[in-house]
Amino acid sequence: MLSNLKVMPILAIDDEPTNLKLLEKMLRGEGYGGLVLLDDPTQAVAAYKAHRPGLILLDINMPSMDGYAVMAALKALKDPLLPPIIVLTAQSSQEFMLRAFKAGARDYVTKPFERAELMARVRNLMEAHLALRFTHEQQRVLQEIVRERTTKLNQIRLQVVRRLGRAAEYRDNETGNHILRMSKISALLAERIGWASEDCELMLHASPMHDIGKIGIPDQILLKPGKLTPEEWEIMKTHVDIGADILSDSDTDLLVLGRSIALSHHEKWDGSGYPNGLAGEAIPMEGRIVAMADVFDALTSERPYKKAWPVEAAVDYMQNQAGAHFDPALLAVFMDALPEIMQIRAEHPLP
């Protein structure tokens, strides 16, 4: 640590060149290098930024800018690694000393000072500051490591989530583009109603899991080209409960939102949906958003049991379902966003 101390710059500020020369002689005699001697206190902040000293030796009584003003200017930088300040002054009264400590000084030495005592104080404060710098750097490195690992884990988690969503869609003879379109439309609607950007991002990644429960539906029902019997339809409806069960027992924001979407995106505004017959505001907003995005894309896409609808026909149907299937206020947002929705469809076209 001693070798590190010797190379850390020391900034000495005093309007008397004689005092600066004395300090320089004493410090160099102790082996300290990188001394920055400043006789113009108005340049203190600039000198500090340029050299990042490990210690500041500061006079109080200076005509252009006194030591208290210098300390206030340095403190205004809000630098968490601002070095300790030793005030060197001929003012020996307690009033000046207390004012200096309140202004930010770490030590107070009156002139004329004894060399050995001053050098001991210099060494002690520089050792403490060096330890602070070391700790701060270690924390920065650890934070960077945690950030990188967290980013990597999030990327892995999102990849798994996307693949789960696509697995369910492929079982339903749908394409990955359906997932891309409906998730982007869902995120767009969330943004349009004022969700925070991080919540819109969650919506983008959680909405692809809306039909994950289809993994548990038998092929003869899921892939049936014709109309389902009432008994088959009851089995088909269980995919929301299966999906909610798959995504349960997690406290991560992504999976919590995904579970809510899986469980509520088949509810209808008038209460005629499933699985819980929720109505109106009782349906979570994320469920209302995904229902709208999913139905629109499903209507305008070809499925084993139907041809793709023209966009105009799908829009007319959805408008007719305002207050029945869909939240009327949210449908108005959907209609306003229709040009952007069509752009999403153009970027991820039907096969």
Side-chain angles (χ1 to χ4, degrees):
M1 177 164 305
L2 181 59
S3 61
N4 290 331
L5 288 181
K6 300 301 184 181
V7 299
M8 270 202 303
I10 295 176
L11 174 60
I13 307 173
D14 196 311
D15 64 318
E16 290 290 341
T18 303
N19 292 337
L20 291 176
K21 288 184 179 297
L22 176 61
L23 285 172
E24 181 181 20
K25 182 179 179 180
M26 292 172 59
L27 291 166
R28 290 198 185 282
E30 293 292 323
Y32 292 102
L35 304 179
V36 181
L37 308 176
L38 189 66
D39 61 7
D40 181 1
T42 63
Q43 298 300 311
V45 170
Y48 170 72
K49 289 180 177 179
H51 300 282
R52 297 293 173 180
L55 180 71
I56 298 175
L57 301 173
L58 178 64
D59 187 25
I60 286 292
N61 292 326
M62 295 179 286
S64 56
M65 185 179 185
D66 67 20
Y68 302 115
V70 171
M71 285 189 280
L74 291 171
K75 191 175 182 180
L77 297 175
K78 299 186 183 301
D79 185 347
L81 291 178
L82 190 68
I85 298 172
I86 300 179
V87 167
L88 302 177
T89 180
Q91 301 292 340
S92 59
S93 71
Q94 187 178 40
E95 177 186 353
F96 283 93
M97 181 178 66
L98 291 176
R99 185 181 174 189
F101 282 130
K102 288 179 180 179
R106 290 284 300 279
D107 207 343
Y108 191 94
V109 179
T110 56
K111 303 173 183 177
F113 42 76
E114 200 278 321
R115 172 175 174 165
E117 179 185 353
L118 178 60
M119 292 300 100
R121 296 187 184 206
V122 165
R123 179 188 176 113
N124 288 342
L125 286 178
M126 289 192 72
E127 284 182 346
H129 187 63
L130 183 62
L132 176 63
R133 283 187 175 184
F134 177 78
T135 301
H136 188 272
E137 179 62 17
Q138 288 294 100
Q139 289 176 340
R140 187 195 66 78
V141 171
L142 289 173
Q143 287 171 353
E144 181 63 20
I145 291 172
V146 170
R147 187 194 66 78
E148 290 178 357
R149 290 182 178 176
T150 299
T151 299
K152 186 174 182 179
L153 286 172
N154 283 338
Q155 290 172 345
I156 293 171
R157 182 178 65 177
L158 290 177
Q159 289 177 13
V160 171
V161 164
R162 288 169 184 153
R163 281 157 175 74
L164 280 172
R166 293 186 70 182
E169 297 301 329
Y170 280 127
R171 281 216 63 226
D172 201 14
N173 279 347
E174 296 175 11
T175 70
N177 276 2
H178 168 68
I179 285 292
L180 290 173
R181 289 191 300 268
M182 63 80 53
S183 63
K184 288 191 173 184
I185 293 171
S186 296
L188 172 63
L189 294 178
E191 180 184 14
R192 283 297 192 95
I193 64 172
W195 281 26
S197 59
E198 57 269 23
D199 293 328
C200 294
E201 184 76 9
L202 280 175
M203 173 63 84
L204 179 68
H205 298 304
S207 53
M209 297 183 285
H210 66 293
D211 275 340
I212 187 64
K214 287 182 177 178
I215 290 173
I217 302 301
D219 286 350
Q220 63 268 26
I221 294 175
L222 187 66
L223 305 180
K224 185 177 180 178
K227 185 177 181 180
L228 298 179
T229 67
E231 293 77 14
E232 290 171 333
W233 179 239
E234 289 303 314
I235 295 173
M236 175 63 84
K237 289 195 295 184
T238 63
H239 80 274
V240 295
D241 296 300
I242 295 170
D245 186 60
I246 290 172
L247 300 174
S248 63
D249 300 324
S250 174
D251 58 359
T252 63
D253 292 341
L254 182 65
L255 295 185
V256 168
L257 182 62
R259 182 182 187 278
S260 177
I261 290 170
L263 195 59
S264 63
H265 75 286
H266 283 298
E267 300 288 358
K268 295 183 178 181
W269 187 256
D270 63 5
S272 64
Y274 65 91
N276 296 312
L278 301 179
E281 299 289 339
I283 305 170
M285 179 56 76
E286 56 267 23
R288 287 179 257 165
I289 289 173
V290 172
M292 199 166 290
D294 189 39
V295 167
F296 176 74
D297 196 72
L299 290 175
T300 54
S301 302
E302 186 171 348
R303 297 288 172 85
Y305 49 85
K306 74 170 190 66
K307 298 290 186 180
W309 288 25
V311 170
E312 295 78 9
V315 170
D316 287 343
Y317 170 81
M318 295 183 71
Q319 288 181 311
N320 290 332
Q321 288 295 308
H325 192 154
F326 304 119
D327 175 351
L330 185 61
L331 185 61
V333 175
F334 176 91
M335 295 303 301
D336 187 60
L338 194 56
E340 292 171 81
I341 292 171
M342 296 307 296
Q343 181 61 35
I344 291 171
R345 285 174 54 81
E347 292 171 356
H348 306 286
L350 299 172

